[in-house]
Amino acid sequence: MKTIIEPFKIKSVEPITMTNRVERERFLRKANYNLFKLDSEHVIIDLLTDSGTSSMSAKQWAAIMQGDESYAGSPSFHRFQKAVQHLMPFKHIIPTHQGRAAEKILFSIIGGKGKYIPNNTHFDTTRANIEFTGAIGVDLVIEEGKNPALEHPFKGNINLERLKAFIEEKGVENIPVVMLTVTNNSGGGQPVSMANIRATKEICKQYGIPLFIDACRFAENAYFIKIREEGYAHVSIENIVKEMFSYADGCTMSAKKDALVNIGGWLAMNHEEWAQHARNLLILTEGFPTYGGLAGRDLEAMAVGLEEVVQEDYLHYRITSTQYLGNHLLKAGIPIVRPAGGHAIYIDARAMLPHIKPLEYPGQSLAVEMYLHAGIRACEIGTVMFGLQPDGTEKEAAMDLVRLAIPRRVYTQSHIDYVIEALTEINERKHELGGMKITWQPPQLRHFTADFDFIG
Ligand code: P61
């Protein structure tokens, strides 16, 4: 059969409130044109993020009832630890309430002034947590990964030559870890190949630097390896995942993505001393090491989510349905980051709206119009998110993208068809869209709370 169907039936539904343009203009003006400040009841299709927005399965809800809420030594922790170690066999598994808590703890231990952390591309919370300690996050993605229109099977790969040169230049003693983000969210949800992970590990080994994986979308990355990398077509997803992590010395994880839950995360590693230190910090801000800021039931849901996310039928549907959206937007003449990412389609707003200068936020302008036109909420990933420099100045980001992130197991094909229709209509009158300005902003992670207005 050519038709790809959602490999699940719907048992419980959540109504969507329909709104009209006049109402949406009012809601958005009240939110100062910041989509993060809208009430979600006023959104028809919410593509702001794939993080924490998954539908849980009947089996996950059933597991929730088995949650043991003991402060220490809960069996739920042991089930969670076993599920993580089955795929990612690290010695120490430290639960956290979400990904950034794992980042905060890790970089509090290994960061600090004078240190550098290379990555393919740091996600904004990772970069913020690194910079908060005085260290510097460095992005070394391959050149192909910076060109939205260029097709390449593994645009998330790190540039191995540049990584080596960077370690030589800054000195091994100043680089506590090398990181790889799979898939590379800020670079378009693009995968990293097994060959690249293996070669990164070789370089790390040569210099004695640990390799950490930002594992948020590890299963989607593994599926791309299976379908795109030679030699993996007949390897199971589980075994691909195990091989990916066999090259790493630790990972940070936001379980809100590929553990199919609404909250959760972990920090994992083999390093004894760091783990000891991490558990002490965990107790300070998150909780005891067998719950880490979560409820026992959350640990149960993660354990089941990890079993479900590596199922091939699920991943086939997941990746193919994201590609479906991407292909239709391309057909409508809308420039997107190519090829389609795993969890999201990224519209190249700078290419779509060349009449809006990067410092007038073409991505924000498009995201605002998507909401006004059809009640669709998306996320700017561009100059608004990355343009503010630590010294308070502003410069244009490498790309101005609008991300349509697809929540896992939530929307059907007709929801996606609605998004395609809306964007096609906006594209036909894109010259009417104007630039935007920021009227207020905080010093860090400004996209969450900044206020905007139209220019003119
Ligand atoms: C997202 F606008 N991602 O993509 P936490 N690493 C990676 C992530 O994608 C990630 C985290 C670490 C989000 C949520 C989000 O400014 C924003 O569990 C590759 O969210 O702490 C999160 O994991 C952090 C969206 C986060 C944002 C920050 O939508």
Side-chain angles (χ1 to χ4, degrees):
M1 291 294 299
K2 280 203 289 294
T3 309
I4 311 289
I5 60 166
E6 288 84 4
F8 48 81
K9 294 183 285 182
I10 297 166
K11 189 183 295 245
S12 175
V13 298
E14 211 181 323
I16 292 175
T17 308
M18 303 307 276
T19 54
N20 61 39
R21 181 158 184 136
V22 174
E23 289 167 329
R24 291 192 291 267
E25 278 172 354
R26 186 157 43 85
F27 299 141
L28 199 52
R29 210 175 311 120
K30 202 165 150 237
N32 290 312
Y33 300 97
N34 186 330
L35 296 143
F36 282 98
K37 294 203 262 189
L38 283 173
D39 286 340
S40 62
E41 291 115 304
H42 298 152
V43 175
I44 295 177
I45 307 275
D46 205 344
L47 307 182
L48 186 66
T49 179
D50 64 317
S51 179
T53 51
S54 302
S55 287
M56 289 208 292
S57 66
K59 199 170 166 200
Q60 282 177 297
W61 283 109
I64 276 187
M65 289 307 294
Q66 290 183 32
D68 178 292
E69 305 303 341
S70 306
Y71 191 91
S74 160
S76 298
F77 171 74
H78 294 295
R79 279 193 281 273
F80 156 75
Q81 180 176 247
K82 194 170 159 207
V84 176
Q85 284 177 331
H86 177 67
L87 295 170
M88 308 172 184
F90 300 116
K91 252 172 128 172
H92 303 281
I93 310 293
I94 300 168
T96 59
H97 80 275
Q98 62 185 86
R100 70 195 73 180
E103 293 165 358
K104 166 85 181 153
I105 291 171
L106 177 66
F107 297 118
S108 302
I109 299 168
I110 64 173
K113 226 174 153 33
K115 303 279 191 233
Y116 297 87
I117 320 277
N119 199 334
N120 44 5
T121 313
H122 286 288
F123 190 63
D124 66 346
T125 56
T126 323
R127 175 175 290 284
N129 275 301
I130 290 169
E131 287 173 357
F132 189 71
T133 71
I136 295 175
V138 186
D139 297 337
L140 299 177
V141 74
I142 55 170
E143 285 309 306
E144 292 90 331
K146 297 181 204 162
N147 180 347
L150 193 94
E151 291 271 351
H152 182 288
F154 292 103
K155 274 173 112 170
N157 283 354
I158 196 166
N159 184 326
L160 299 163
E161 289 309 311
R162 283 191 64 201
L163 175 63
K164 250 177 146 162
F166 186 81
I167 298 172
E168 290 287 342
E169 182 196 328
K170 300 295 177 193
V172 177
E173 65 285 5
N174 297 319
I175 303 178
V177 289
V178 170
M179 290 190 81
L180 282 175
T181 302
V182 303
T183 56
N184 188 22
N185 188 6
S186 309
Q190 301 292 325
V192 181
S193 72
M194 191 73 86
N196 193 255
I197 302 176
R198 200 182 298 123
T200 305
K201 174 63 185 177
E202 280 304 309
I203 295 174
C204 287
K205 212 158 108 192
Q206 188 187 329
Y207 291 99
I209 302 173
L211 172 63
F212 269 58
I213 292 182
D214 176 339
C216 295
R217 298 175 180 86
F218 71 94
E220 290 169 6
N221 198 89
Y223 189 75
F224 280 120
I225 289 176
K226 185 175 175 86
I227 59 173
R228 291 188 186 163
E229 191 161 350
E230 214 186 311
Y232 288 94
H234 302 293
V235 184
S236 71
I237 295 293
E238 257 186 53
N239 284 338
I240 294 175
V241 170
K242 285 177 188 165
E243 186 181 341
M244 283 164 56
F245 287 94
S246 74
Y247 301 122
D249 302 282
C251 74
T252 54
M253 174 73 186
S254 169
K256 300 171 74 171
K257 285 84 171 173
D258 270 354
L260 298 173
V261 292
N262 306 120
I263 196 72
W266 63 85
L267 171 62
M269 64 183 81
N270 292 328
H271 199 295
E272 293 292 334
E273 255 171 68
W274 291 359
Q276 177 95 32
H277 196 159
R279 288 200 177 95
N280 291 339
L281 290 177
L282 187 83
I283 289 173
L284 208 59
T285 59
E286 293 277 300
F288 192 74
T290 57
Y291 73 86
L294 294 163
R297 55 180 168 269
D298 298 321
L299 301 170
E300 298 278 357
M302 284 195 279
V304 176
L306 285 175
E307 280 170 27
E308 293 179 351
V309 81
V310 292
Q311 286 171 13
E312 222 172 298
D313 285 344
Y314 161 73
L315 284 168
H316 178 56
Y317 138 78
R318 171 78 178 152
I319 301 300
T320 319
S321 56
T322 307
Q323 281 166 349
Y324 173 86
L325 172 58
N327 291 341
H328 279 80
L329 294 185
L330 279 174
K331 234 185 254 165
I334 297 166
I336 63 165
V337 174
R338 299 168 70 169
H343 66 296
I345 293 298
Y346 295 66
I347 299 174
D348 184 348
R350 195 177 286 175
M352 179 175 167
L353 306 170
H355 60 287
I356 303 179
K357 293 190 253 217
L359 290 178
E360 293 178 358
Y361 315 127
Q364 188 66 18
S365 172
L366 177 59
V368 159
E369 185 53 29
M370 285 174 65
Y371 178 72
L372 294 176
H373 185 66
I376 300 163
R377 178 157 69 166
C379 183
E380 193 265 11
I381 298 203
T383 303
V384 173
M385 192 179 269
F386 300 117
L388 185 62
Q389 305 302 301
D391 66 2
T393 60
E394 189 176 34
K395 77 175 192 214
E396 64 182 66
M399 299 189 254
D400 275 298
L401 307 175
V402 172
R403 185 183 70 170
L404 314 180
I406 320 289
R408 293 169 181 77
R409 308 190 291 204
V410 171
Y411 292 118
T412 62
Q413 185 170 337
S414 66
H415 291 116
I416 298 301
D417 286 337
Y418 175 90
V419 174
I420 294 164
E421 183 182 339
L423 273 159
T424 306
E425 287 173 2
I426 293 170
N427 192 46
E428 281 161 5
R429 53 175 184 77
K430 61 184 180 183
H431 303 290
E432 294 168 16
L433 271 61
M436 304 204 70
K437 61 184 177 195
I438 290 180
T439 55
W440 176 84
Q441 63 182 10
Q444 277 137 9
L445 297 176
R446 66 177 176 175
H447 56 288
F448 286 129
T449 53
D451 292 337
F452 299 86
D453 207 346
F454 294 109
I455 293 173

